[in-house]
C-alpha cells in the first residue's frame, strides 16, 4: 500500500520555506505521491498557486511523484494546463502527474458550475493530445503543442458513477473522495470497471487512489469535533449533486447537511460544521487516536487499497505532526 499526501488550503499563508521543509520531510519518510490543490484564495481559503509550488517542490524532492489534486478545465485554458504540466514534468525529471476534475470549490467560489460530463470527456482527450504533441481540434481551432509527453499520467478526480466510469474509460487513473468504507470503495471500483469495459480494458487495470481526511489526538471526541470544518468541503463535494452510496439510515442527515450548506462559508470557522455528523466524519476521514488511525489503515490495506492520499486540517503545525506520526506509526506497517 502506498501513502501519499494531498495538500489543500491552509488557514493562512505560511512562508514557502516551511512548506518545502514539510515536503522534503514527507518524501524522506516515504510519502509518495505529493499533490497540491488548485483552488482560489477567496473567502477563508488560503492556497498558493499549485504550479508555483510544484516548481519549487520539484527542486526540493528527488523521487516522489508530484502533481495537482486537482485542477479543472474552467479556471485555466487546457493549453495553459498542458503547458504547466509539461513544464513541471521537465523540471522534476519526469515525476509530474496531472490530476483534473469537473471543478468544485475553485469553480463555485467564482460563481461557475462544474463542467458537464461531455466537456470533461473532451478535456481529457484534448489534454492527452496536447501533451503528446498531436494536433487536436478544440473550440473551432486546431491546436498543436510541441510537447512530447504522452507518458505524463492524467488522473481524473471522480465521485459519481458516470464520472468514475469516464475515468475508467479514458484516464490513466482516478482520484476519488467518495468515501473510505469498504462498501463505498467496492461501489467505486464497480463504476470504474464499467468504463474499463467500454474501452476494452481488463477490469481493475486503471488505478484508483482513495483520498481521505486525517487528523489525530489523544482525546478522540475532541479531535473529531475539531475536524468538522475541514470535513464540510469533502462532504459537500460528494453530496452537491446526489447522494451516491449513502445508506438509507443516514440519508436524512446528509440531506439536512446539503440543504443548509453555504457555498461561500469556508475555512476553519465555517458554520457549515454544525451539520457534520459522525457518519460523514467516518465516511470521508480517518480521525481519532493513533490506535484508531493504525486500525483504519490496516483495514484499508486488507481490502487492497493500493494508494491512499492523506488530506489534512487547515493548520500547518497539525500537518507536520500528522506527517511525523504517520511516518513513525503507520508507514512501517503498510508500505
Amino acid at each position: 500500500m502506498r501513502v501519499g499526501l494531498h495538500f489543500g488550503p491552509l488557514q493562512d499563508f505560511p512562508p514557502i520555506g516551511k512548506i518545502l521543509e514539510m515536503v522534503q520531510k514527507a518524501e524522506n519518510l516515504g510519502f509518495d505521491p505529493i499533490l497540491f490543490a488548485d483552488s482560489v484564495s477567496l473567502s477563508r481559503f488560503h492556497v498558493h498557486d499549485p504550479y508555483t509550488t510544484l516548481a519549487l517542490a520539484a527542486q526540493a524532492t528527488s523521487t516522489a511523484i508530484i502533481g495537482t489534486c486537482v485542477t479543472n478545465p474552467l479556471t485555466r485554458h487546457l493549453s495553459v494546463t498542458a503547458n504547466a504540466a509539461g513544464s513541471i514534468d521537465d523540471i522534476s525529471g519526469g515525476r509530474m502527474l496531472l490530476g483534473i476534475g469537473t471543478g468544485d470549490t475553485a469553480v463555485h467560489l467564482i460563481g461557475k458550475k462544474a463542467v458537464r460530463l461531455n466537456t470533461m470527456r473532451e478535456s481529457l482527450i484534448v489534454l492527452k493530445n496536447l501533451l503528446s504533441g498531436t494536433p487536436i481540434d478544440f473550440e473551432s481551432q486546431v491546436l498543436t503543442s510541441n510537447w512530447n509527453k504522452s507518458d505524463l499520467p492524467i488522473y481524473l478526480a471522480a465521485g459519481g458513477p458516470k464520472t468514475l466510469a469516464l475515468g475508467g474509460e479514458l484516464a490513466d487513473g482516478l482520484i476519488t473522495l467518495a468515501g473510505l468504507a469498504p462498501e463505498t470503495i467496492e461501489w467505486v471500483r464497480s463504476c470504474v470497471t464499467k468504463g474499463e469495459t467500454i474501452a476494452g480494458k481488463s477490469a481493475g487495470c486503471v488505478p484508483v487512489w482513495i483520498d481521505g481526511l486525517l487528523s489525530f489526538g489523544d482525546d478522540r471526541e475532541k479531535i473529531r469535533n475539531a475536524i468538522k470544518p475541514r470535513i464540510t468541503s469533502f462532504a459537500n463535494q460528494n453530496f452537491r449533486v446526489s447522494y451516491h452510496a449513502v445508506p438509507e439510515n443516514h440519508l436524512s442527515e446528509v440531506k439536512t447537511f446539503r440543504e443548509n450548506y453555504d457555498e461561500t462559508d469556508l475555512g476553519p470557522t465555517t458554520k457549515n460544521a454544525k451539520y457534520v455528523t459522525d457518519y460523514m466524519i467516518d465516511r470521508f476521514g480517518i480521525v481519532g487516536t493513533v490506535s484508531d488511525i493504525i486500525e483504519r489503515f490496516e483495514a484499508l490495506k486488507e481490502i487492497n487499497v493500493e494508494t491512499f492520499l492523506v488530506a489534512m486540517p487547515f493548520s500547518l503545525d497539525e500537518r507536520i505532526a500528522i506527517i511525523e506520526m504517520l511516518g513513525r506509526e503507520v508507514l512501517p506497517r503498510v508500505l
Side-chain angles (χ1 to χ4, degrees), residues 2 65 85 89 96-100 120-121 123-132 149-158 163-176 192 195-196 199 201-202 204-209 306-307:
R2 183 165 61 173
I65 292 170
D89 197 59
M96 174 67 186
L97 179 142
L98 178 58
I100 189 167
M120 196 68 246
R121 171 182 290 276
S123 298
L124 291 172
I125 294 170
V126 170
L127 285 169
K128 283 181 175 291
N129 279 270
L130 288 173
L131 287 168
S132 66
K149 291 188 173 293
S150 57
D151 292 335
L152 194 157
I154 302 175
Y155 274 46
L156 178 62
T163 314
L164 288 164
L166 177 63
E169 180 186 354
L170 293 182
D172 298 304
L174 289 108
I175 299 170
T176 184
V192 175
E196 292 170 329
K201 302 175 182 177
S202 59
C205 71
V206 178
V208 178
W209 293 1
E306 295 180 1
T307 302

Side-chain angles (χ1 to χ4, degrees), residues 228 232 270-277:
K228 288 182 177 181
T232 57
T270 175
K271 293 182 177 62
N272 293 319
K274 65 183 178 182
Y275 299 107
V276 172
T277 65

Side-chain angles (χ1 to χ4, degrees), residues 72-74 101-103 107 113-120 123:
N72 67 80
L74 289 177
T102 59
V107 169
K113 292 183 178 180
V115 303
R116 294 183 178 275
L117 194 68
N118 284 342
T119 302
M120 196 68 246
S123 298

Side-chain angles (χ1 to χ4, degrees), residues 9-310:
L10 287 154
Q11 65 187 19
D12 53 25
F13 288 117
I16 192 65
K18 288 190 175 182
I19 294 177
L20 295 177
E21 286 177 10
M22 181 170 56
V23 168
Q24 285 181 319
K25 176 176 288 189
E27 183 186 59
N28 291 337
L29 288 170
F31 289 94
D32 183 11
I34 299 173
L35 308 180
F36 297 87
D38 185 7
S39 191
V40 287
S41 288
L42 298 176
S43 185
R44 300 184 181 91
F45 266 24
H46 296 79
V47 56
H48 290 98
D49 176 82
Y51 296 107
T52 304
T53 307
L54 283 165
L56 296 170
Q59 299 294 294
T61 58
S62 59
T63 58
I65 292 170
I66 59 174
T68 54
C69 187
V70 296
T71 189
N72 67 80
L74 289 177
T75 57
R76 303 176 194 267
H77 192 274
L78 293 178
S79 65
V80 175
T81 295
N83 198 55
S87 299
I88 299 300
D89 197 59
D90 266 6
I91 294 169
S92 66
R95 293 185 287 122
M96 174 67 186
L97 179 142
L98 178 58
I100 189 167
T102 59
D104 188 63
T105 302
V107 169
H108 287 271
L109 283 178
I110 59 172
K112 306 291 185 180
K113 292 183 178 180
V115 303
R116 294 183 178 275
L117 194 68
N118 284 342
T119 302
M120 196 68 246
R121 171 182 290 276
E122 180 184 36
S123 298
L124 291 172
I125 294 170
V126 170
L127 285 169
K128 283 181 175 291
N129 279 270
L130 288 173
L131 287 168
S132 66
T134 304
I136 181 71
D137 192 339
F138 179 57
E139 296 180 339
S140 302
Q141 184 168 339
V142 177
L143 304 180
T144 307
S145 82
N146 50 22
W147 288 112
N148 182 21
K149 291 188 173 293
S150 57
D151 292 335
L152 194 157
I154 302 175
Y155 274 46
L156 178 62
K162 293 181 180 180
T163 314
L164 288 164
L166 177 63
E169 180 186 354
L170 293 182
D172 298 304
L174 289 108
I175 299 170
T176 184
L177 287 78
L180 313 182
E183 58 271 21
T184 305
I185 294 174
E186 182 179 357
W187 172 80
V188 165
R189 286 171 169 162
S190 69
C191 294
V192 175
T193 297
K194 292 179 181 178
E196 292 170 329
T197 301
I198 291 171
K201 302 175 182 177
S202 59
C205 71
V206 178
V208 178
W209 293 1
I210 308 299
D211 195 341
L213 184 58
L214 189 145
S215 189
F216 78 101
D218 294 332
D219 187 326
R220 181 183 292 114
E221 194 63 28
K222 181 179 179 180
I223 202 68
R224 287 174 67 85
N225 283 327
I227 202 62
K228 288 182 177 181
R230 186 74 173 94
I231 284 283
T232 57
S233 59
F234 277 72
N236 185 57
Q237 179 174 335
N238 278 268
F239 304 141
R240 180 184 277 118
V241 178
S242 60
Y243 305 115
H244 298 302
V246 177
E248 186 66 30
N249 59 318
H250 292 294
L251 197 53
S252 176
E253 67 195 71
V254 169
K255 288 183 177 180
T256 297
F257 168 84
R258 182 64 195 121
E259 289 165 0
N260 289 278
Y261 193 85
D262 181 354
E263 296 277 4
T264 66
D265 183 15
L266 303 168
T269 61
T270 175
K271 293 182 177 62
N272 293 319
K274 65 183 178 182
Y275 299 107
V276 172
T277 65
D278 285 335
Y279 163 72
M280 296 176 208
I281 294 173
D282 291 327
R283 173 165 174 163
F284 302 114
I286 299 178
V287 184
T289 65
V290 172
S291 296
D292 295 332
I293 306 301
I294 293 172
E295 183 178 340
R296 290 289 300 276
F297 267 94
E298 290 178 339
L300 290 171
K301 185 177 181 180
E302 286 180 7
I303 61 171
N304 299 317
V305 170
E306 295 180 1
T307 302
F308 184 83
L309 295 175
V310 178

